[in-house]
Amino acid sequence: MNTNFLQTPIDYLKGVGPNRADLLRKELGLHTYQDLINLFPNSYIDRTQYYKINQLQRNSSEVQIIGQIIDVHEVPQKRGKRLIARFQDDTGDMELVWFRGHKWIRESLKLDKEYVIFGKTNWFNGKYNMPHPEMELLEDYKKNLRSAMQPIYPSTEKLSNKGISNRVISKLMQQLFTETKGKFTETLSDNLISEFKLVSKSDALFNVHFPKNQELLSRAEYRLKFEELFYIQLQLIRKNLIHKSKIKGFPFTIVGDYFNTFFKTHLAFELTNAQKRVLKEIRNDLGSNAQMNRLLQGDVGSGKTIVALMSMLIALDNGYQACFMAPTEILSVQHYNVLLDICNKLKISIKLLTGSSKTLERRKIHEALENGGLQILIGTHALLEDKVKFKNLGLAIIDEQHRFGVAQRSKLWKKGSHLIPPKGRKNKSLTSKEIKGTPPHILVMTATPIPRTLAMSVYGDLDISIIDELPPGRKSIKTVHRFDKNRLKVFRFIRDEIAKGRQVYIVYPLIQESATMDYKDLMDGYESIVRYFPLPDYQISIVHGRMKPADKDYEMQRFIKGETQIMVATTVIEVGVDVPNASVMIIESAERFGLSQLHQLRGRVGRGAEQSYCILMTSYKLSNDSKTRLETMVRTNDGFEIAEVDLRLRGPGDIMGTQQSGVLNLKIADIIKDSDILQHARYYAKKILKSDPSLTSPANKVLLLTYKQITKYKNIWNYIS
Ligand code: ADP
Ligand code: MG
């Protein structure tokens, strides 16, 4: 049936009418025939089996029985009455019960006719009963186009209150299939269908709404899921390709002295294979004519900073400036300190700009940026201020990008004001105006792994690199869960570790910086720690959100230098802080943290050569989800595995970026359960677009048509970043 016909408003379907049409629109978003066809069942009930009344079990689930009504009467109860029908087959009898809607039910019930009833049974007063059964005359039941597996469609309370039951929806579906004769235009190419041994569109739609058995249903579902994911991927990948062909970038053709000197003389360790691979991916991007727009994912401690630095050196080698933005003052100071040392050796000018930079210092930085005297700028959000203008910003790196919004990311795009052509450029053909309009290359980094499958769908416009390997020699962190009442034992353990020269973090939840209760917990905790670990033997740092940046920094520095042994903190230390000598992480009220936060916190230890520990403290009262989170933390250190569990617990809705990506509007596929299908679909979408970017070859005609239809009626491009 052609697609135009399927755009017919739902009002025109026999059995709908204006009232129902209104409800279907409001409650289920069904506007057209097409929408109804794509209303896929949430589940199915197997109605291949019939029970006899004498086979019923006390705990049986939903059952289907054939029999007759031999009597109908009403019984008064506390409020109102209930309607009871005696129902029998050749093995016994039972009761059908209604608590509401008596009048029309009573009138519609026919005595001494064969019915098929379906529902859940109860055992009451020595008899089985079935409240509010679904029922139909056997002769109608047989006549209807229907399947043994009964689909259960999405519904709402309002719909069922207004009498649009599952059965009504099923009926409408039947009506639609009758009108269309069950014929639907094929929407995938012959190649794909034969390659994946997919069933045809018509068969798939028929079997998903009227499956005869599980096998046919599975094949139908597979085909429809594949199709759905395939077209999303096709759109995302096309968007990415268009981005690459339209948005020019500076071609960094040179890998020069800065990079090579650093690599040969100053790099203190061998890069991991993952780091090498990622650097190669970045170098490829930088060397092409297109703007790099890349997401670098790597677990805490996987060594992203060095990759960032080496990428910046390439920018410098090509005569451009680079900047590196981090979400907190602590973190940018730390990056600055690490990089300052190396930059001094390489004679590179580097500065730090944060909210607490003094006016005079700021002014100097602004000047040096504009005249090109400054090569690398590290800092916080302060980098985004309008006054910060670069002479020729070639690369902008954002650390812990989930802490920044899309708007902030895009602000960096406009930071380059490129007045003169950069040195060492072979291709001088760009006019200065063009250079001015060229955005810097962008690299965003995150230690909050997003499961691969989700990342593919969410960050369609970003290329993704993954560091999936930790530097060698890391001992995996031992994680345990302890209840609050064992705190003294935990304190003793801390004391022993400190005696060995280690340092310890104790973290309190301060989910909202303003929450007074949380703040009190932190201070109470601090006091008891001070009591157990008294001066002068023990020095304790404390850092929380209510402190001034300068005080925070002072306390952090004391800990970093090893002057204090214990750091009591709120989650401000969550991101990036690197103190290799710290080997114990205690997380108080661990049940209140999300999985990714717990994992981030744990990543603060295990950075040195010593065995490290993470102790999750909780009360006895734990929800199931909390238990799962704690068990997961104890079981594994693998950030991607943790991210998968997190995704399962929270659903994709809470994960950064999903709102815009459309993965939440999937009609039949499930981004988590169907990740295998997604990978296939993505692979093929890529392959097809590679050989035929605008889908003009005859073999892809169907794909182009469908693609146009989809983007015409539902343009996902609008809601992808
Ligand atoms: P993250 O990915 O969490 O930002 P960092 O970049 O802070 O990790 O690196 C963590 C630590 O590992 C740093 O002290 C860094 O110097 C060190 N490191 C990075 N790469 C390697 C490597 N290939 N071999 C050994 N140590 C490394
Ligand atoms: Mg880092």
Side-chain angles (χ1 to χ4, degrees), residues 82-96:
R82 65 178 188 271
L83 178 69
I84 292 187
R86 265 181 61 213
F87 184 79
Q88 72 172 30
D89 67 3
D90 48 12
T91 68
D93 71 300
M94 61 184 290
E95 290 180 343
L96 311 181

Side-chain angles (χ1 to χ4, degrees), residues 298-306 324 331 334-335 399-400 445-447 575-578 604 607:
D299 216 339
V300 271
S302 62
K304 293 184 292 296
T305 317
I306 213 75
F324 190 1
L331 197 53
Q334 189 177 297
H335 282 327
D399 197 12
E400 307 298 344
M445 311 201 295
T446 180
V575 279
V577 176
D578 192 11
R604 297 308 105 215
R607 305 193 141 223

Side-chain angles (χ1 to χ4, degrees), residues 440-638:
H441 295 290
I442 306 262
L443 178 66
V444 298
M445 311 201 295
T446 180
T448 308
I450 304 154
R452 267 166 226 256
T453 50
L454 189 60
M456 283 175 202
S457 301
V458 172
Y459 294 108
D461 59 334
L462 294 176
D463 292 304
I464 298 171
S465 289
I466 295 175
I467 305 188
D468 50 6
E469 180 184 0
L470 292 181
R474 295 272 169 83
K475 291 206 175 85
S476 86
I477 302 161
K478 284 192 181 145
T479 302
V480 293
H481 170 204
R482 294 283 178 267
F483 291 107
D484 287 339
K485 82 171 206 323
N486 295 318
R487 178 165 284 101
L488 270 186
K489 263 195 194 155
V490 173
F491 277 0
R492 256 176 263 145
F493 174 74
I494 299 178
R495 201 182 53 201
D496 294 346
E497 285 294 300
I498 292 176
K500 289 188 217 156
R502 306 287 116 73
Q503 287 166 286
V504 179
Y505 291 104
I506 304 179
V507 176
Y508 285 81
L510 200 62
I511 308 298
Q512 288 167 334
E513 291 286 328
S514 58
T516 312
M517 270 309 288
D518 286 346
Y519 185 70
K520 189 174 172 297
D521 283 352
L522 169 76
M523 292 327 272
D524 290 351
Y526 176 68
E527 272 161 30
S528 71
I529 293 161
V530 171
R531 246 177 281 128
Y532 196 90
F533 298 97
L535 289 163
D537 290 351
Y538 298 95
Q539 301 283 335
I540 303 176
S541 286
I542 178 164
V543 172
H544 58 77
R546 292 190 176 185
M547 291 164 69
K548 291 206 189 75
D551 296 339
K552 265 195 239 177
D553 190 47
Y554 173 77
E555 289 288 320
M556 269 316 295
Q557 288 305 327
R558 289 207 314 148
F559 188 69
I560 291 169
K561 286 183 203 143
E563 293 167 11
T564 60
Q565 297 95 1
I566 300 177
M567 159 66 74
V568 178
T570 60
T571 42
V572 290
I573 63 150
E574 180 192 340
V575 279
V577 176
D578 192 11
V579 181
N581 190 48
S583 67
V584 183
M585 167 62 67
I586 315 272
I587 303 176
E588 294 286 346
S589 305
E591 71 271 30
R592 294 182 53 196
F593 290 90
L595 256 181
S596 78
Q597 242 184 337
L598 290 173
H599 180 60
Q600 289 277 318
L601 284 170
R602 178 168 60 185
R604 297 308 105 215
V605 297
R607 305 193 141 223
E610 308 307 328
Q611 177 61 54
S612 290
Y613 304 89
C614 175
I615 303 176
L616 307 167
M617 306 291 300
T618 74
S619 65
Y620 279 109
K621 259 201 205 152
L622 294 174
S623 70
N624 281 340
D625 278 7
S626 300
K627 276 184 205 149
T628 307
R629 287 198 295 268
L630 296 163
E631 282 160 15
T632 305
M633 287 296 293
V634 171
R635 182 185 74 240
T636 180
N637 277 300
D638 179 342

